[in-house]
Amino acid sequence: MQSTVKSALLSLAIIASPMAIADSVNKNTQENTKKAAEQLTEQSEQQLDRYFHRLAGENRFLGTAVIYQDTTPVYQITIQPSKKAKKGWATSTDHDLKYKIGSISKTYASAIIFQLIEEGKLTLDTKLSQFYPKVKNADKITIKHLLNHQSGIFNYTSEPDFINYVFFPKDKDFLVAKIESFDSDFEPGEKAEYSNSGYLLLGFIAEDIEKKPYSDIIEERISKPYNLNNTYYGSDIKEGNGEVHSYEYKGKWGKMAEWHMNIPGAAGALVSNADDLNQFINLLFDGKIISKDSLKTMTTMDMKYGLGIFETSYGEDEDKLEGYWHNGGIEGFRTHLAYYPDKDISVVLLSNALRYDMREIYEAMLDAYHGKTVAEPEFGAPIELSKEQMEPLVGSYSSDTFPLDINLSIKDGQLYAQATGQGAFPLTAYPDDKFEYVEAGIEIRYDRDIDQFLLIQGGQGYAFNKEGGKKHQAFAVPESLLEQYVGVYGADDFPLDLEIMVKEGNLYGQATGQSEFPLTAESETRFRFKLAGIVINFDAGKKQLTITQHGKDTVLSKK
């Protein structure tokens, strides 16, 4: 499940470039890969161990991380709280612990829908109106629209009231009525935008067809036939069954409240462990769970979305890996599952406590797989700011993508932040105008040049602008020229479309399914979103732009 507020463009680099599905892996490739896997164990295990130990020691990560070659773990580590350990946590190579996997559940739901299609009980063109005619545009929405997030149905986890019922049991009638009450965000098939509502409905449709609860469908179609006995529909966490709690950090790790698992349903209610996740993705791509034809349809991208799965890639040249993935987030759990068919390797990352960029963690794992040096993450020491250094930051800030305003103030020589209707909290300063409020896992990155900050919490980022502050348009660009840049840009090897727009004489960007972000002009053709490390260069004559992030240039063309 995603957060109740959409993420900013910081998540852009999580999805890398697309690929064509590989139907098989030749023998030589398998032999070479196994050799590389042995080298990982010999040469890189200590570096990865130190990497994870540093994260745990800085209260940034708890969880399980495994790299698999086929079904064999070539690296594995688990870090969990320990009352016996002086440092409060302990490591092991036990990867049997079970985690709530959040939206990775959608890949399972998609597989079940394809099974029903293969049995003649559904088609991709079946209309939603056959099951739930009161949903807006139900007569236009197909099963395929639900699978690849093109239905236009409002995402129910984004409504303000969601937090008021997520912890309590609600039946199907309640949830369907919720979805029926929403207006459409767009016409079906017009564009793609991530929506948990579609997958919740897909689970209900499976129940209607099979005449049984979705938990039984998972057991009968996935768990039992493929011996995935640690994969099932979640309920209250049972530590005696090897299930772990999720945690939030407030000076120390504390257990988070549990959602009632009827609420996420097929969109995010499954529980699993690392071995089962790896086994599932291998069986899926071996054509065992659904047919190869169904798999090809499932992994064909349309508007950068597959049907319950996404494309990804890592590295370049001889190190390049191309594959498929899905991630998840529910309560304090953050999960990642990726599979690279050409090398037959999987990366499984299951966290039940996270205050770090998950992308950086699984990229470090892949770096180790390729024999690259994995350095320990660095965390700067707090610094003290003078009153003169803090005063320019004082003021009221608002965001187009966050529901509350935030006020920054100084009290007793300390910088404080306060959201609308909430208590003030102190901000600890770090170098380069970074601030943290550890107790709530909040990080703020400030840009003094344009009176803007990026608030990051739970892996989500939101840009805030100061009321009456400096305009983000540092270089004056004629609006007539800005209008030439307006449009939707994309490329076959880029996972998202990027829309460029003009608002009140300023340029903004917005990636598919994400929040808009301001672009500061550095020249008539060069623009920057400093807080996310994004630079965009426009070529109006060619109707193209080049986006640079994390040192990688990608050319997008106007559609």
Side-chain angles (χ1 to χ4, degrees):
M1 306 291 285
Q2 291 189 332
S3 167
T4 56
V5 186
K6 297 175 185 175
S7 63
L9 192 70
L10 286 180
S11 61
L12 179 65
I14 292 178
I15 306 175
S17 58
M19 64 161 288
I21 181 171
D23 290 328
S24 63
V25 182
N26 65 50
K27 183 177 180 181
N28 290 335
T29 300
Q30 288 178 327
E31 291 175 352
N32 291 338
T33 304
K34 289 180 180 179
K35 183 177 180 181
E38 292 171 359
Q39 291 173 346
L40 169 70
T41 302
E42 295 173 0
Q43 299 178 5
S44 301
E45 184 174 359
Q46 289 184 352
Q47 288 184 353
L48 272 182
D49 281 348
R50 287 194 293 268
Y51 181 91
F52 280 104
H53 291 174
R54 182 64 186 275
L55 289 176
E58 295 287 339
N59 295 305
R60 303 284 175 165
F61 173 85
L62 297 173
T64 294
V66 191
I67 304 172
Y68 291 90
Q69 172 67 58
D70 190 19
T71 58
T72 302
V74 297
Y75 177 80
Q76 54 189 309
I77 190 170
T78 292
I79 301 175
Q80 287 297 314
S82 172
K83 294 181 180 179
K84 296 180 180 179
K86 290 183 179 180
K87 52 195 174 185
W89 52 270
T91 64
S92 73
T93 56
D94 176 12
H95 50 277
D96 292 332
L97 294 177
K98 305 179 189 74
Y99 298 73
K100 293 181 181 179
I101 63 173
S103 283
I104 296 176
S105 303
K106 291 180 174 66
T107 308
Y108 291 76
S110 179
I112 287 171
I113 293 299
F114 273 105
Q115 288 178 347
L116 294 172
I117 290 172
E118 291 173 6
E119 294 164 10
K121 299 175 181 178
L122 270 179
T123 73
L124 288 175
D125 296 323
T126 299
K127 296 292 196 298
L128 178 59
S129 56
Q130 183 174 324
F131 300 94
Y132 299 102
K134 294 182 181 179
V135 175
K136 304 296 188 298
N137 281 333
D139 59 335
K140 302 177 184 178
I141 296 170
T142 65
I143 294 298
K144 185 178 181 182
H145 287 145
L146 296 174
L147 285 167
N148 66 1
H149 300 281
Q150 293 183 17
S151 69
I153 300 174
F154 177 76
N155 181 20
Y156 76 109
T157 63
S158 294
E159 71 152 336
D161 192 43
F162 179 75
I163 197 66
N164 295 324
Y165 63 81
V166 68
F167 302 106
F168 307 102
K170 299 294 180 183
D171 59 19
K172 180 190 295 187
D173 290 342
F174 173 88
L175 293 167
V176 170
K178 274 284 182 186
I179 293 174
E180 290 173 345
S181 71
F182 299 142
D183 290 329
S184 295
D185 285 342
F186 53 86
E187 285 296 303
E190 181 179 88
K191 61 180 182 177
E193 187 169 303
Y194 197 93
S195 175
N196 289 300
S197 300
Y199 275 80
L200 184 69
L201 288 174
L202 286 168
F204 292 159
I205 289 169
E207 289 182 336
D208 294 340
I209 292 172
E210 297 292 88
K211 309 297 183 186
K212 60 185 65 173
Y214 190 72
S215 56
D216 291 350
I217 295 172
I218 285 290
E219 181 179 5
E220 294 174 11
R221 288 183 171 271
I222 301 294
S223 305
K224 281 188 175 180
Y226 303 106
N227 294 317
L228 302 177
N229 299 317
N230 293 302
T231 300
Y232 46 85
Y233 194 100
S235 59
D236 293 343
I237 293 172
K238 301 176 180 63
E239 293 183 2
N241 191 39
E243 299 173 16
V244 297
H245 286 271
S246 68
Y247 296 84
E248 58 184 338
Y249 192 75
K250 295 183 177 180
K252 62 179 181 179
W253 293 118
K255 290 180 181 178
M256 289 194 70
E258 297 181 44
W259 292 14
H260 194 282
M261 298 307 280
N262 281 359
I263 307 301
L270 295 192
V271 170
S272 192
N273 68 3
D275 280 353
D276 268 22
L277 283 163
N278 176 65
Q279 186 70 11
F280 168 77
I281 202 70
N282 273 272
L283 288 166
L284 182 67
F285 277 83
D286 285 344
K288 302 292 178 59
I289 294 177
I290 59 177
S291 70
K292 285 286 187 178
D293 286 342
S294 292
L295 180 65
K296 184 176 181 180
T297 302
M298 182 183 187
T299 54
T300 298
M301 300 295 122
D302 183 8
M303 301 186 194
K304 315 302 180 183
Y305 284 80
L307 279 63
I309 204 164
F310 297 95
E311 289 178 322
T312 186
S313 72
Y314 161 88
E316 297 178 355
D317 301 326
E318 67 273 7
D319 289 338
K320 189 166 187 177
L321 293 174
E322 296 180 314
Y324 298 89
W325 77 299
H326 212 296
N327 66 355
I330 185 170
E331 299 165 11
F333 295 94
R334 297 293 181 268
T335 58
H336 173 83
L337 171 65
Y339 179 67
Y340 302 91
D342 283 346
K343 296 293 182 71
D344 196 19
I345 68 167
S346 307
V347 176
V348 180
L349 187 55
L350 303 172
S351 175
N352 55 325
L354 186 67
R355 295 172 55 234
Y356 199 68
D357 189 340
M358 180 166 274
R359 178 187 66 244
E360 292 192 17
I361 298 176
Y362 65 73
E363 285 185 352
M365 295 169 69
L366 288 170
D367 284 346
Y369 176 83
H370 285 91
K372 298 178 182 178
T373 300
V374 177
E376 294 181 36
E378 296 182 359
F379 302 96
I383 61 173
E384 290 188 10
L385 296 181
S386 67
K387 184 178 180 181
E388 290 72 24
Q389 289 173 306
M390 290 187 287
E391 281 181 339
L393 280 57
V394 171
S396 296
Y397 296 77
S398 61
S399 170
D400 292 334
T401 58
F402 194 80
L404 306 177
D405 292 342
I406 291 180
N407 185 70
L408 297 185
S409 61
I410 300 172
K411 181 180 179 182
D412 298 329
Q414 170 74 53
L415 190 66
Y416 280 79
Q418 183 173 18
T420 306
Q422 300 185 11
F425 52 90
L427 294 173
T428 301
Y430 290 84
D432 301 321
D433 280 327
K434 293 183 180 180
F435 302 84
E436 283 192 359
Y437 177 52
V438 171
E439 286 76 2
I442 291 173
E443 178 185 344
I444 287 178
R445 302 175 186 174
Y446 201 96
D447 186 347
R448 292 176 183 262
D449 293 336
I450 54 175
D451 284 336
Q452 182 186 92
F453 68 76
L454 192 69
L455 183 148
I456 303 170
Q457 185 179 30
Q460 311 295 319
Y462 314 97
F464 283 78
N465 293 295
K466 188 176 184 179
E467 184 178 324
K470 304 167 190 172
K471 289 187 176 181
H472 79 265
Q473 196 75 11
F475 184 94
V477 180
E479 190 162 347
S480 59
L481 181 56
L482 295 180
E483 291 291 347
Q484 295 182 39
Y485 302 149
V486 170
V488 177
Y489 296 76
D492 291 339
D493 62 347
F494 195 71
L496 306 172
D497 286 340
L498 181 62
E499 182 178 2
I500 301 297
M501 64 199 87
V502 175
K503 290 187 175 183
E504 298 180 352
N506 296 318
L507 207 61
Y508 287 79
Q510 184 173 25
T512 305
Q514 300 186 15
S515 303
E516 66 182 39
F517 55 95
L519 290 166
T520 301
E522 297 182 335
S523 72
E524 288 192 344
T525 59
R526 179 183 174 89
F527 296 76
R528 182 185 298 272
F529 181 38
K530 179 179 177 181
L531 297 174
I534 293 170
V535 175
I536 295 178
N537 286 281
F538 289 93
D539 188 331
K542 293 183 179 180
K543 296 184 178 180
Q544 290 180 334
L545 65 80
T546 300
I547 182 169
T548 304
Q549 189 178 28
H550 303 299
K552 182 178 181 180
D553 296 336
T554 304
V555 177
L556 307 182
S557 298
K558 188 182 290 189
K559 295 187 173 183

